[in-house]
Amino acid sequence: MWVRITTGSCIKLTQVTLLYDFIAEPGNNELTVKEGETVTITNQNIGGGWIEAQNSRGEVGLVPEDYIERLIKQTLLSLAALSLPLSSLTFSFSCLFQASNGNDPWSVWNADPSGGSNNNWASNPEGTQTGKTAADPWSAASQGHPQAYQGPERSGPSLHNLFFSFFSLSRFPGFSKSGPELYLLCKQLAKGKEKLPIYMGEVGPVWSYPESQLDCVVADPKKGSKMYGLKSYIEYQIVPSTTNRPVNHRYKHFDWLYERLLDKFGSAIPIPSLPDKQVTGRFEEEFIKMRMERLQGWMTRMCRHPIVSCSEVFQTFLTYKDEKDWKTGKRKAEKDETVGVMIFSTIEPEGPDLDPVEVEQKCEQFSRFTKSMDDGVKEILTVGHEHWKRCTGPLPKEYQRIGKAFQNLSSVFTSSGYQGESTLTDAMTAAGKTYEEIAQLVAEQPRKDLHFLMETNNEYKGLLGCFPDTIGVHKAAIDKVKEGDKLVATSKITPQDKVTMAKRVSIMSYALQAEMNHFHSNRIYDYNRVMQLYLEEQVKFYETIAEKLRQAHSQFTTM
Amino acid sequence: MWVRITTGSCIKLTQVTLLYDFIAEPGNNELTVKEGETVTITNQNIGGGWIEAQNSRGEVGLVPEDYIERLIKQTLLSLAALSLPLSSLTFSFSCLFQASNGNDPWSVWNADPSGGSNNNWASNPEGTQTGKTAADPWSAASQGHPQAYQGPERSGPSLHNLFFSFFSLSRFPGFSKSGPELYLLCKQLAKGKEKLPIYMGEVGPVWSYPESQLDCVVADPKKGSKMYGLKSYIEYQIVPSTTNRPVNHRYKHFDWLYERLLDKFGSAIPIPSLPDKQVTGRFEEEFIKMRMERLQGWMTRMCRHPIVSCSEVFQTFLTYKDEKDWKTGKRKAEKDETVGVMIFSTIEPEGPDLDPVEVEQKCEQFSRFTKSMDDGVKEILTVGHEHWKRCTGPLPKEYQRIGKAFQNLSSVFTSSGYQGESTLTDAMTAAGKTYEEIAQLVAEQPRKDLHFLMETNNEYKGLLGCFPDTIGVHKAAIDKVKEGDKLVATSKITPQDKVTMAKRVSIMSYALQAEMNHFHSNRIYDYNRVMQLYLEEQVKFYETIAEKLRQAHSQFTTM
């Protein structure tokens, strides 16, 4: 995204630091780099999400640009945190929008010139500004809500949006604290068409759920290639239950979707990370299968979420008709400003305002619960991992040795030259073979049951890892409200602001409760399902062994 | 046996070396000694099979006299090997017979004065010699077969018997080589009433089996004490299937029986050793139970052997009527001279003489088989031992951790404050408990199945360990026959002797074949049995687990 940096005033980065390890695919012109390693850019115009870099040893090769993408955001972020003059942010931000206009039509930050005509500006009298769009996000911000930037707060929310998008992307600590004020104190809220109602259900506040639950199938991974075969990639086919029409996406598009969802919902809804960006042997069967399975899991979870699944960006991802349609949708999503804490401005609970004390209690309760569930889940993962190792390592080896020992003794017996012991020796050989079969069953079993137990808990570990941020925003909001009187006394805010804050923190709490209730019902469903599956397979496993041994036993003659 | 050494001409041993470790039973006035340690005798007249000794650190306590018993035999043996004048052997041997006349009525070497009247001399015209009996075994030897000691060979066989009994007791190497000659070249064989016929069965030469197989139950171990409670011991009750009348014996009597059987049959029939003489915590439940179980196993094997079970010494052990009866039987058995290779003189095969080549082939075949079976058995013991450790160590720990992890997560869920998840949490707790139960099942299982597999193979390991000696005697005999011509040429033996040797080695081979066939049929029976038992228990084990898991599974609500 930082490549093709044109503006002279822009922070020129020719040296960049890597955010993750990247292991080169042999024969793919790639360069292996370590997280934290600094490389020099030798060619920014490769495109396809790749840049050419040279490491300290002088080796040159391709590296995914994503791997340094966040670097700049953080740089900006720190500048922002240091509250540098807005100008400095503006121009560096403009770099952001100019950046990475590569040859890849899917490029996240691609500012497609032809796109100008059919974007959300078309409906806008000042659509003529389109030209500068890419160069000036602020105007874009102001277009949406012309009335939103009067008075001293002018640059408030959109500056926040900018920051928050960095915050939520980078999970920058200190930042989440200052997040919620922008919503709590924002004079007038956007009057967007988005409305997220919250109803009172049996269990308390609940999101409004669609009549039929969206679902989708991620399947049929295909290896594609670009740049005359120089670069190859994997494309997955996603078929939503609504249209039943397949759309294709690469991992990086899932990643784009993730970033969008995180930007938009992150402070109200924990958006689980995508499966690891692990790229070793990107084209190995095993890896592709595993990644697909996990993308499926991620998509299923997103589909199950009433807010996420109904969101425009998610629908676009699943149902775009053609590339043009997709690009438009992408650009629109990228320009969406109801992101960060501003999402709360779209939430409309049907219940009465909550007492700040209750709000805090709920928040504390959820915080405690998610923390202890995180511990519980990690314990299962640890134990499960050890068990996996034992079941695939020493245990089958041992059953194999037992099987061999029986067979060896049997063949010794065969050599006795004594008449009529073939029944015994055959039976002993069969018993020995049975234990070798058991060895194999034992070694294969984890894939059949433990695997899903681990995957589910792994998914929950990821999900639970998002709660601290989500809850952090609420804690920050609660703290702000607590300061209310002091702020009024020192006339930092008006008494009216204080009332507004209390009202808005109540809304935030409704959202948190709705989200927790959603989390709980899913959790109950998921753990019922995975435990059933695990135990079902375990029963089969032990029954199979018992049956094999019963057969082996039957071969011995009773005397 | 060496205590109360009266004869001045006798080798006076006040310092003795220990043959085995002995760990003192606390509060039992005992002295812990190490194998090879030298102690000084402080009191020889304790009796009860005990002597009082003082170690180098000046500590004084009781030590089992058995633990130094063999010391003298070996001393004699070495003297013999060095072919010292017979006189020196005679007097030290006389010590042997005078020795250890303690207060213990069971004392192995007890020369009971009243016993004189009802021993095998009663039937002897020169019964008047009884008085000197204990002092002069040679007369005893000569009494049996007055005609056996004419000419230069006079002292041959009985000297052999004396030596061989040492050989077979001490498994003195070098000695087994010279063993068989005494039988092969012995001019005239004893005309005892003992006859051990060998018939031709379907499988080849077989012993003559009794119509009904003898069996016995070793049970009801009782702690007895002597010397006004100073010494305590364990007495086992043995009930033979024939009389159904219980007799009591202490371990040391089993040991005495073992020595007798080894003396008498050792060169034709492998006599397995008794369970370890381990004396640590002699009175601990566990140990007594285990020793009893193994004594039962040993007795059962002896009962199953057609020759051993019918032997007079074995019958005496099982059916003596009273102490007097027992003592007489003991003395008689101890005076039996058809021991060592001379047992072959009682064997009468119905088949024709075997060709020496065939004899050698058979011998080689059995040697190979027993060796490779020994390897096979040891492999099972090794693997089984490892498996035992895993099943009682890390594996149950792991199932326990899995169980705990499920239960912990379940209790976290209970704390969610979300309504209606009790079905899930109850089910998860149950599942967790199930894995804790499985942990216990796993840990207890080895005692139920692996135990018998190990015990049986352990027994066979012991049995197979006896074959090298048994087969060694045959190899030595075969070698002797091979030298036949050379010996004739150098007129070491007459041509008639050579014919006799060939005939007798053929008899030995019949015996070996009969024994091997006995071994094989028992082996087939034993391994069928133990494998059935093992697999039966294994099936139960896996079925129980499957059933428990099925129940746990049923508690989860299907969605």
Side-chain angles (χ1 to χ4, degrees):
Chain A
M1 36 142 292
W2 51 269
V3 296
R4 191 183 291 173
I5 292 170
T6 47
T7 333
S9 61
C10 208
I11 316 153
K12 198 137 186 114
L13 296 171
T14 53
Q15 285 231 330
V16 289
T17 309
L18 275 298
L19 293 169
Y20 324 96
D21 290 351
F22 169 69
I23 293 133
E25 184 73 9
N28 226 343
N29 306 348
E30 298 172 0
L31 179 67
T32 296
V33 286
K34 286 241 154 299
E35 177 182 342
E37 179 178 352
T38 306
V39 296
T40 314
I41 307 310
T42 49
N43 181 355
Q44 314 171 337
N45 305 320
I46 302 292
W50 295 81
I51 55 100
E52 189 189 76
Q54 179 173 47
N55 66 19
S56 55
R57 292 178 301 289
E59 297 160 343
V60 176
L62 301 172
V63 176
E65 66 180 25
D66 295 352
Y67 281 45
I68 46 171
E69 178 179 327
R70 291 175 192 183
L71 180 66
I72 290 186
K73 289 199 181 146
Q74 286 204 351
T75 316
L76 282 167
L77 196 50
S78 347
L79 294 170
L82 298 163
S83 65
L84 289 176
L86 187 57
S87 60
S88 69
L89 290 174
T90 316
F91 76 63
S92 44
F93 193 58
S94 69
C95 301
L96 248 57
F97 277 76
Q98 282 182 323
S100 121
N101 181 0
N103 309 339
D104 175 13
W106 300 115
S107 175
V108 174
W109 296 94
N110 178 10
D112 172 39
S114 72
S117 55
N118 62 352
N119 63 13
N120 59 344
W121 306 117
S123 61
N124 184 299
E126 294 168 58
T128 51
Q129 285 189 348
T130 308
K132 25 196 301 268
T133 305
D136 182 13
W138 306 114
S139 63
S142 53
Q143 288 306 328
H145 320 284
Q147 74 281 53
Y149 307 109
Q150 314 311 325
E153 264 73 31
R154 187 178 200 297
S155 66
S158 68
L159 179 58
H160 154 70
N161 291 357
L162 166 58
F163 281 10
F164 196 81
S165 68
F166 300 152
F167 148 63
S168 50
L169 283 169
S170 62
R171 303 220 168 286
F172 198 75
F175 209 79
S176 62
K177 292 270 166 293
S178 60
E181 309 166 26
L182 297 154
Y183 159 66
L184 294 176
L185 292 170
C186 159
K187 279 279 170 280
Q188 280 163 285
L189 291 177
K191 296 263 175 299
K193 23 183 185 4
E194 283 185 88
K195 297 265 169 281
L196 301 179
I198 290 179
Y199 302 105
M200 287 309 290
E202 289 175 4
V203 296
V206 289
W207 300 116
S208 84
Y209 285 79
E211 307 217 327
S212 70
Q213 186 182 289
L214 175 59
D215 197 0
C216 76
V217 177
V218 181
D220 193 23
K222 277 198 178 54
K223 183 169 175 176
S225 79
K226 312 192 279 80
M227 301 155 63
Y228 316 104
L230 175 64
K231 298 287 328 132
S232 42
Y233 56 84
I234 299 294
E235 212 166 43
Y236 300 89
Q237 191 182 69
I238 301 102
V239 186
S241 56
T242 42
T243 62
N244 224 350
R245 223 171 40 71
V247 293
N248 294 330
H249 282 297
R250 291 175 55 187
Y251 178 84
K252 64 183 297 182
H253 309 142
F254 283 94
D255 197 36
W256 174 86
L257 176 62
Y258 164 70
E259 300 287 359
R260 297 283 72 64
L261 296 174
L262 193 58
D263 275 3
K264 188 168 179 59
F265 301 112
S267 48
I269 300 167
I271 305 296
S273 306
L274 284 178
D276 293 350
K277 254 206 175 74
Q278 184 228 318
V279 271
T280 327
R282 274 195 315 306
F283 304 115
E284 284 160 13
E285 292 272 321
E286 180 99 353
F287 169 72
I288 293 171
K289 195 172 152 298
M290 170 65 94
R291 171 174 273 185
M292 187 175 74
E293 192 186 307
R294 290 182 170 173
L295 286 174
Q296 173 73 76
W298 188 82
M299 283 302 286
T300 306
R301 191 159 297 280
M302 294 300 99
C303 285
R304 270 205 245 150
H305 198 290
I307 307 306
V308 172
S309 61
C310 300
S311 68
E312 197 174 351
V313 58
F314 194 71
Q315 287 296 329
T316 307
F317 183 85
L318 279 181
T319 62
Y320 71 92
K321 282 162 203 55
D322 50 32
E323 283 202 8
K324 198 171 162 196
D325 187 23
W326 165 244
K327 284 181 206 157
T328 322
K330 278 209 357 293
R331 211 173 19 261
K332 187 174 177 200
E334 283 153 12
K335 290 188 187 123
D336 182 357
E337 66 192 9
T338 313
V339 295
V341 285
M342 291 316 282
I343 193 66
F344 294 112
S345 67
T346 65
I347 290 168
E348 298 185 343
E350 72 174 3
D353 289 1
L354 299 169
D355 168 63
V357 177
E358 188 189 344
V359 170
E360 186 161 16
Q361 284 169 347
K362 293 284 180 195
C363 186
E364 288 305 329
Q365 187 195 349
F366 297 151
S367 173
R368 275 194 307 277
F369 175 79
T370 49
K371 173 76 186 72
S372 48
M373 177 165 174
D374 190 54
D375 296 340
V377 163
K378 281 171 180 162
E379 184 188 0
I380 287 190
L381 287 172
T382 311
V383 173
H385 184 62
E386 281 175 27
H387 193 51
W388 188 295
K389 278 190 299 179
R390 187 181 308 284
C391 291
T392 52
L395 208 49
K397 277 204 190 63
E398 198 161 278
Y399 284 117
Q400 221 151 22
R401 280 204 299 276
I402 293 172
K404 284 257 170 285
F406 284 153
Q407 290 177 79
N408 290 347
L409 196 58
S410 169
S411 57
V412 170
F413 285 3
T414 317
S415 78
S416 71
Y418 187 77
Q419 295 170 25
E421 67 176 293
S422 58
T423 323
L424 172 63
T425 52
D426 292 352
M428 279 185 72
T429 306
K433 288 207 166 72
T434 305
Y435 277 94
E436 286 186 319
E437 286 168 39
I438 291 173
Q440 203 173 344
L441 286 174
V442 169
E444 287 164 357
Q445 192 56 20
R447 296 205 164 283
K448 296 187 188 159
D449 47 28
L450 195 52
H451 172 70
F452 296 104
L453 188 65
M454 297 294 274
E455 282 292 303
T456 304
N457 280 283
N458 210 18
E459 212 185 330
Y460 268 88
K461 183 181 148 212
L463 197 51
L464 289 160
C466 305
F467 273 96
D469 283 335
T470 313
I471 289 174
V473 177
H474 287 72
K475 284 221 173 89
I478 289 162
D479 294 344
K480 207 59 180 168
V481 172
K482 280 178 171 173
E483 294 176 29
D485 294 328
K486 195 169 110 269
L487 292 168
V488 173
T490 56
S491 57
K492 288 241 173 51
I493 60 169
T494 67
Q496 180 49 43
D497 289 334
K498 184 171 165 259
V499 176
T500 315
M501 285 212 299
K503 186 173 193 57
R504 291 183 182 172
V505 83
S506 156
I507 292 174
M508 286 175 75
S509 183
Y510 269 108
L512 181 58
Q513 290 180 57
E515 187 51 28
M516 283 309 295
N517 288 330
H518 175 73
F519 176 81
H520 287 321
S521 68
N522 276 275
R523 172 177 57 80
I524 291 169
Y525 171 83
D526 289 336
Y527 276 90
N528 256 304
R529 198 172 125 283
V530 76
M531 287 300 289
Q532 275 179 313
L533 196 140
Y534 182 70
L535 293 172
E536 220 168 272
E537 288 301 320
Q538 283 270 292
V539 170
K540 277 189 215 153
F541 171 66
Y542 287 107
E543 277 175 342
T544 315
I545 293 179
E547 180 47 38
K548 282 184 177 295
L549 289 168
R550 206 179 294 106
Q551 283 168 22
H553 175 266
S554 69
Q555 293 205 38
F556 289 88
T557 55
T558 352
M559 299 184 152
Chain B
M1 35 144 286
W2 51 268
V3 296
R4 192 183 292 173
I5 292 170
T6 45
T7 334
S9 60
C10 210
I11 315 153
K12 198 133 187 123
L13 297 171
T14 53
Q15 284 231 331
V16 290
T17 309
L18 275 298
L19 292 169
Y20 324 97
D21 291 351
F22 170 69
I23 293 132
E25 185 72 10
N28 225 344
N29 306 349
E30 298 172 2
L31 178 67
T32 296
V33 286
K34 285 241 154 299
E35 178 182 340
E37 179 177 353
T38 306
V39 295
T40 313
I41 307 309
T42 49
N43 181 355
Q44 315 169 340
N45 305 319
I46 302 293
W50 295 82
I51 55 98
E52 189 190 76
Q54 178 174 47
N55 66 20
S56 55
R57 292 178 301 291
E59 298 161 340
V60 175
L62 301 172
V63 177
E65 67 180 25
D66 296 353
Y67 281 44
I68 46 171
E69 179 179 326
R70 290 172 195 185
L71 182 65
I72 290 185
K73 289 200 179 146
Q74 286 201 351
T75 316
L76 282 166
L77 196 50
S78 345
L79 294 169
L82 298 162
S83 64
L84 289 176
L86 187 56
S87 61
S88 69
L89 290 175
T90 317
F91 75 72
S92 44
F93 192 60
S94 70
C95 302
L96 249 56
F97 277 75
Q98 283 182 320
S100 111
N101 183 359
N103 309 341
D104 175 14
W106 299 116
S107 174
V108 175
W109 295 93
N110 178 10
D112 172 42
S114 71
S117 56
N118 62 351
N119 62 15
N120 58 345
W121 306 114
S123 60
N124 185 298
E126 294 166 60
T128 50
Q129 288 188 346
T130 308
K132 37 197 290 269
T133 305
D136 183 15
W138 306 114
S139 64
S142 51
Q143 288 306 327
H145 321 285
Q147 75 283 53
Y149 307 107
Q150 314 311 323
E153 263 74 34
R154 186 177 201 300
S155 66
S158 67
L159 179 59
H160 153 70
N161 291 357
L162 166 58
F163 282 9
F164 195 81
S165 68
F166 301 153
F167 147 62
S168 49
L169 284 169
S170 62
R171 301 221 170 285
F172 200 72
F175 210 80
S176 63
K177 291 270 164 294
S178 60
E181 308 166 25
L182 297 155
Y183 160 67
L184 294 175
L185 292 170
C186 155
K187 278 280 169 279
Q188 281 164 285
L189 290 177
K191 297 263 176 304
K193 30 189 178 0
E194 283 186 88
K195 296 266 169 281
L196 302 180
I198 291 179
Y199 303 105
M200 288 308 291
E202 289 175 3
V203 295
V206 288
W207 300 117
S208 84
Y209 285 79
E211 309 218 325
S212 70
Q213 186 182 288
L214 174 60
D215 199 0
C216 75
V217 176
V218 180
D220 193 24
K222 275 198 179 54
K223 184 169 175 176
S225 79
K226 313 190 281 82
M227 300 154 65
Y228 317 102
L230 176 64
K231 300 282 330 125
S232 44
Y233 56 84
I234 298 295
E235 211 164 42
Y236 300 90
Q237 190 182 69
I238 302 102
V239 186
S241 56
T242 43
T243 62
N244 225 349
R245 221 171 41 71
V247 293
N248 294 330
H249 282 298
R250 292 175 53 186
Y251 179 83
K252 65 184 294 182
H253 309 141
F254 283 94
D255 199 35
W256 174 86
L257 176 62
Y258 164 70
E259 300 287 358
R260 297 283 73 65
L261 296 175
L262 194 58
D263 276 4
K264 190 167 178 58
F265 301 112
S267 47
I269 299 167
I271 306 294
S273 307
L274 284 179
D276 294 349
K277 250 203 175 75
Q278 184 227 317
V279 271
T280 329
R282 274 197 311 309
F283 304 114
E284 285 159 13
E285 291 272 322
E286 181 100 354
F287 168 72
I288 294 170
K289 194 172 153 299
M290 170 65 94
R291 171 175 272 184
M292 187 176 75
E293 191 187 307
R294 290 182 169 172
L295 286 173
Q296 173 73 75
W298 187 84
M299 283 303 285
T300 306
R301 191 159 297 280
M302 294 299 100
C303 285
R304 269 205 244 148
H305 198 290
I307 307 306
V308 172
S309 62
C310 299
S311 68
E312 199 173 350
V313 59
F314 195 71
Q315 287 296 328
T316 307
F317 183 85
L318 278 181
T319 61
Y320 72 92
K321 283 161 203 59
D322 49 33
E323 285 201 6
K324 199 172 162 196
D325 187 23
W326 165 245
K327 285 181 207 158
T328 321
K330 281 216 342 299
R331 209 169 27 257
K332 188 173 175 199
E334 283 151 12
K335 292 195 187 113
D336 182 357
E337 67 192 9
T338 314
V339 295
V341 285
M342 292 316 282
I343 193 66
F344 292 113
S345 67
T346 64
I347 290 167
E348 299 186 341
E350 71 173 3
D353 289 358
L354 298 170
D355 169 62
V357 177
E358 188 188 346
V359 169
E360 187 162 14
Q361 285 170 345
K362 293 284 179 195
C363 186
E364 289 304 330
Q365 187 195 348
F366 296 150
S367 173
R368 274 194 308 276
F369 175 78
T370 48
K371 173 77 187 73
S372 49
M373 178 166 174
D374 190 54
D375 296 340
V377 164
K378 282 173 180 160
E379 183 188 0
I380 287 191
L381 287 172
T382 312
V383 173
H385 184 62
E386 281 175 27
H387 192 50
W388 189 295
K389 278 189 298 181
R390 189 181 307 285
C391 291
T392 51
L395 208 48
K397 276 203 192 61
E398 198 161 279
Y399 284 117
Q400 221 151 23
R401 281 203 299 277
I402 293 172
K404 284 256 171 287
F406 284 153
Q407 290 177 81
N408 290 347
L409 195 58
S410 168
S411 57
V412 170
F413 285 3
T414 318
S415 78
S416 70
Y418 187 76
Q419 294 171 25
E421 67 176 293
S422 59
T423 323
L424 171 63
T425 53
D426 292 352
M428 279 185 73
T429 305
K433 288 207 165 70
T434 305
Y435 276 94
E436 286 187 319
E437 286 168 39
I438 290 173
Q440 203 174 344
L441 287 175
V442 169
E444 288 165 355
Q445 192 56 21
R447 297 206 163 281
K448 295 187 188 158
D449 47 28
L450 195 51
H451 172 70
F452 296 105
L453 187 65
M454 296 294 273
E455 281 293 302
T456 305
N457 280 283
N458 211 17
E459 212 184 331
Y460 268 88
K461 183 181 149 214
L463 197 50
L464 290 160
C466 305
F467 273 97
D469 283 335
T470 313
I471 288 173
V473 176
H474 287 72
K475 284 223 173 90
I478 289 161
D479 294 344
K480 209 51 172 174
V481 172
K482 281 180 174 172
E483 295 176 28
D485 295 328
K486 197 171 103 266
L487 292 167
V488 172
T490 55
S491 56
K492 289 241 173 50
I493 61 168
T494 68
Q496 181 48 44
D497 290 334
K498 185 174 161 254
V499 177
T500 315
M501 285 209 299
K503 188 175 193 54
R504 292 184 182 171
V505 82
S506 156
I507 291 173
M508 287 175 73
S509 183
Y510 270 108
L512 180 57
Q513 290 179 55
E515 187 52 28
M516 282 310 294
N517 288 330
H518 175 73
F519 176 80
H520 287 321
S521 67
N522 276 276
R523 172 178 55 81
I524 291 169
Y525 171 82
D526 289 336
Y527 277 90
N528 256 305
R529 200 171 124 280
V530 76
M531 287 300 288
Q532 276 179 312
L533 196 140
Y534 182 69
L535 293 171
E536 220 168 273
E537 288 301 320
Q538 284 270 291
V539 169
K540 277 189 216 154
F541 170 65
Y542 287 108
E543 277 175 343
T544 315
I545 293 180
E547 180 48 37
K548 282 184 178 294
L549 290 167
R550 205 179 295 106
Q551 284 168 21
H553 174 266
S554 68
Q555 294 204 38
F556 289 88
T557 54
T558 351
M559 299 187 153

